[in-house]
Amino acid sequence: MKHFLLSVLLLIGLGAWAQPTAWTYALPATAGVAAVAADADGNTYVTGSFVGGTAQLGGTTISSSLPGRCLYIAKLNPQGQVLRVTKLEGAEEGSNTTDIVVDKDGNTYISGRLHGTITYAGGQTVGVIAENFGYSVMLVKCGANGRVRWVKQASGNQGGAYGSSHGTGVAVDRAGNSYISGDVTGGNVTADAIVIGSRRRDGFLASYDRNGQIRWAKAPFSLKGALGSSFALGVAVDNAGHCYLSGHTAGGWHLDNVSLPIGPDSDYLALFDSGTGQVQWGKYVPSNNWGGALAIDKQGDACIGGDFMGTADFGNGVTLTSTAPTGYVARYDATGDVDWATAVNTSVKGIIVDQQSRKVFVTGSAGTQAYLTRLNANGRVQQQELVDGPGTSGGTSIAIDDQNNVYTAGSFTGSCHFDAITLNNTTTQGYVARYGSRLRGHGRDDNDFRAPALNLFPNPAQNQLTLRLDNQAPAGQATLYDHLGTPVATRSIQAAAADIHFDTSALPDGLYVLRVATQGKTTSQPVVVQH
């Protein structure tokens, strides 16, 4: 119980965003949304895929002239309007995109997996990529004008149940070198001219220069052979030579005289030299599910996210404890030592770091609701936004621009509310949403987006939680959610109300969230119940 208190007490407190903030757009997408990126100016880059000839992204129709699956990369302006779409058409079913990143010059890079043939407009040429041995790792670079510059693949030249390779993450450094993570299988795994050899469900990491020439390629191999795995999931890189790889392993792995010893089925984090591809170290990160959300900050430290249950030991005396599946974010320095670890929600799928303040932004699912959470540089939760139902939603990807506007992507079903913006569809669709400062020339004055301040006490609460509002508070509603995102208590707020009380005497110990909604504005704050 002591470790539980130490961990959840980190969650107390709510800070204000740097400027008045709100959900400023939320776009539905029948074209599935896999990932989102943003440039310094607030333009958004979205990737995904669809089958069926046409699909919608917001109010824009994307058409494919070829049968099969169409992979796409779309650029949106800060208002959420689609500026252009790049299409890679005719892929066989199962092909997809998984991640996207944009460099300082506006070039975009996507990772994914490919089966069959894709056709794309490439300036004055049409490119055709063929792969006849299951799926291959795929890396695509598009120029600032959206035209495909090159497509790279890595595969094991083998079909069958384990004969597939997949690209999962992508990163780019200031020099324009790109990095792709994934997993490879086959008797003769190759990446361009580099022959890796026989692999089966093993991690993969490779780097290409700005012209698409391969620099190096590595594949950690499982210490348990065919009975193990070392899947790679996320990749992040800075300009000081740090290249982090996250993944999930069953049985540990070995590479370049570095071994992650045979241990639990768990996530891992490894550091590579970005120039040579030489692995520096690898270590287990406690998890009970595939995590691998990864980002790097300006000091070369890595933030990784996933899920845990029970007692999670991150090293250096840092532990988290939960009796139910719970998400976590942990920060490690370049020597492999943990700085801090914080429990956040029931699922962590995407992480991004503000490079100026080192604040961390996280998305995923809190029960049946997508969430957006902000942590300060020391790992303390400062703010959380939930996507309201009654429909269900889940966040999968996150990005940030230079003004701290945050962009998230995910999926939703039914009626979901991003503050005053409602998305509604009976079948599951993707979404792209922006949370940040009010868009100029749209809506009301910035002050209209200021959320009411919450005064909660005591926190942790034992038998009663009190919400105190000032005498200017408008009418609204206060709802207390458990860690799964399920409402456990609701109170109406009358105009000019004083104290609102919640009976917590019968609630189980744990982390909760109080959400106050008044006149279209919402504020959320973590609450701990501890008897």
Side-chain angles (χ1 to χ4, degrees):
M1 187 62 68
K2 178 181 178 181
H3 291 310
F4 175 79
L5 282 172
L6 288 174
S7 62
V8 297
L9 284 173
L10 291 173
L11 299 174
I12 305 304
L14 175 68
W17 295 77
Q19 52 188 320
T21 51
W23 293 106
T24 54
Y25 68 68
L27 309 177
T30 59
V33 179
V36 61
D39 63 21
D41 298 324
N43 298 303
T44 314
Y45 302 81
V46 179
T47 187
S49 63
F50 64 92
V51 177
T54 62
Q56 298 292 318
L57 176 59
T60 298
T61 299
I62 305 173
S63 300
S64 176
S65 59
L66 297 178
R69 182 165 289 273
C70 179
L71 316 179
Y72 75 90
I73 307 106
K75 179 180 180 180
L76 289 67
N77 68 13
Q79 288 73 38
Q81 299 166 329
V82 176
L83 300 177
R84 66 163 189 263
V85 178
T86 301
K87 296 176 291 185
L88 301 95
E89 303 175 81
E92 293 191 19
E93 186 60 32
S95 301
N96 64 11
T97 61
T98 54
D99 199 8
I100 186 169
V101 68
V102 58
D103 68 17
K104 60 182 178 61
D105 298 318
N107 303 300
T108 53
Y109 307 76
I110 62 169
S111 60
R113 67 183 188 185
L114 177 63
H115 182 53
T117 298
I118 53 172
T119 301
Y120 55 88
Q124 297 180 359
T125 66
V126 175
V128 179
I129 305 298
E131 169 57 56
N132 299 314
F133 303 99
Y135 300 116
S136 65
V137 174
M138 179 182 68
L139 174 64
V140 180
K141 177 181 179 178
C142 294
N145 58 4
R147 293 178 176 176
V148 174
R149 294 286 182 87
W150 43 257
V151 179
K152 297 295 177 178
Q153 295 183 76
S155 74
N157 296 326
Q158 179 177 323
Y162 299 104
S164 294
S165 302
H166 313 82
T168 53
V170 65
V172 63
D173 63 24
R174 187 176 298 169
N177 301 309
S178 53
Y179 305 77
I180 184 167
S181 59
D183 60 89
V184 288
T185 296
N188 186 33
V189 174
T190 59
D192 281 9
I194 297 178
V195 178
I196 294 173
S198 178
R199 292 291 189 272
R200 184 176 180 181
R201 301 181 300 186
D202 284 334
F204 174 78
L205 178 64
S207 178
Y208 296 81
D209 67 19
R210 61 187 308 113
N211 298 315
Q213 298 299 310
I214 195 163
R215 303 169 69 219
W216 48 261
K218 297 295 181 75
F221 63 86
S222 172
L223 293 175
K224 294 180 68 175
L227 298 178
S229 62
S230 61
F231 296 102
L233 299 171
V235 59
V237 64
D238 65 7
N239 299 302
H242 303 110
C243 178
Y244 287 95
L245 182 71
S246 65
H248 193 87
T249 182
W253 50 258
H254 179 82
L255 178 68
D256 295 338
N257 297 318
V258 173
S259 292
L260 190 65
I262 293 177
D265 186 348
S266 183
D267 289 349
Y268 68 84
L269 179 67
L271 176 66
F272 290 73
D273 183 293
S274 64
T276 65
Q278 184 82 13
V279 64
Q280 308 297 304
W281 51 257
K283 68 182 305 171
Y284 282 105
V285 179
S287 67
N288 65 307
N289 199 358
W290 287 44
L294 182 65
I296 191 170
D297 68 18
K298 65 180 180 180
Q299 293 190 12
D301 296 341
C303 290
I304 185 171
D307 304 338
F308 78 99
M309 186 171 69
T311 298
D313 185 355
F314 294 85
N316 288 348
V318 178
T319 62
L320 298 177
T321 301
S322 176
T323 58
T326 303
Y328 73 83
V329 177
R331 189 175 74 194
Y332 290 85
D333 65 24
T335 68
D337 291 330
V338 67
D339 292 333
W340 50 257
T342 300
V344 283
N345 283 287
T346 56
S347 175
V348 174
K349 297 299 182 184
I351 292 178
I352 197 71
V353 180
D354 170 30
Q355 296 302 308
Q356 299 302 315
S357 67
R358 301 182 78 197
K359 293 177 181 178
V360 183
F361 298 82
V362 187
T363 192
S365 301
T368 60
Q369 295 174 286
Y371 72 86
L372 172 61
T373 294
R374 176 169 59 96
L375 293 75
N376 69 12
N378 295 318
R380 177 174 293 185
V381 174
Q382 293 185 306
Q383 183 163 346
Q384 176 171 275
E385 292 293 326
L386 295 173
V387 176
D388 285 336
T392 60
S393 59
T396 56
S397 180
I398 191 167
I400 191 171
D401 66 21
D402 281 2
Q403 287 73 47
N404 272 350
N405 301 302
V406 179
Y407 306 82
T408 68
S411 61
F412 76 97
T413 307
S415 181
C416 294
H417 305 279
F418 297 74
D419 288 339
I421 304 170
T422 299
L423 300 184
N424 196 351
N425 201 71
T426 56
T427 61
T428 300
Q429 290 190 355
Y431 72 79
V432 181
R434 178 185 185 274
Y435 189 91
S437 58
R438 184 182 65 83
L439 298 170
R440 294 182 179 179
H442 294 263
R444 300 166 291 181
D445 184 78
D446 279 345
N447 290 329
D448 290 336
F449 287 106
R450 294 190 183 274
L454 298 187
N455 182 4
L456 292 175
F457 61 90
N459 195 359
Q462 184 174 12
N463 296 316
Q464 180 175 276
L465 175 71
T466 298
L467 167 64
R468 176 159 293 173
L469 300 169
D470 61 39
N471 57 14
Q472 301 298 317
Q477 182 171 280
T479 305
L480 188 65
Y481 297 85
D482 67 13
H483 72 284
L484 296 176
T486 303
V488 296
T490 300
R491 300 287 185 271
S492 295
I493 300 174
Q494 303 301 319
D499 291 350
I500 305 295
H501 301 290
F502 292 85
D503 182 1
T504 59
S505 60
L507 294 179
D509 290 358
L511 177 65
Y512 295 77
V513 173
L514 184 68
R515 183 181 179 90
V516 174
T518 57
Q519 295 183 342
K521 300 182 287 289
T522 61
T523 300
S524 299
Q525 182 165 335
V527 174
V528 175
V529 173
Q530 178 64 51
H531 297 102

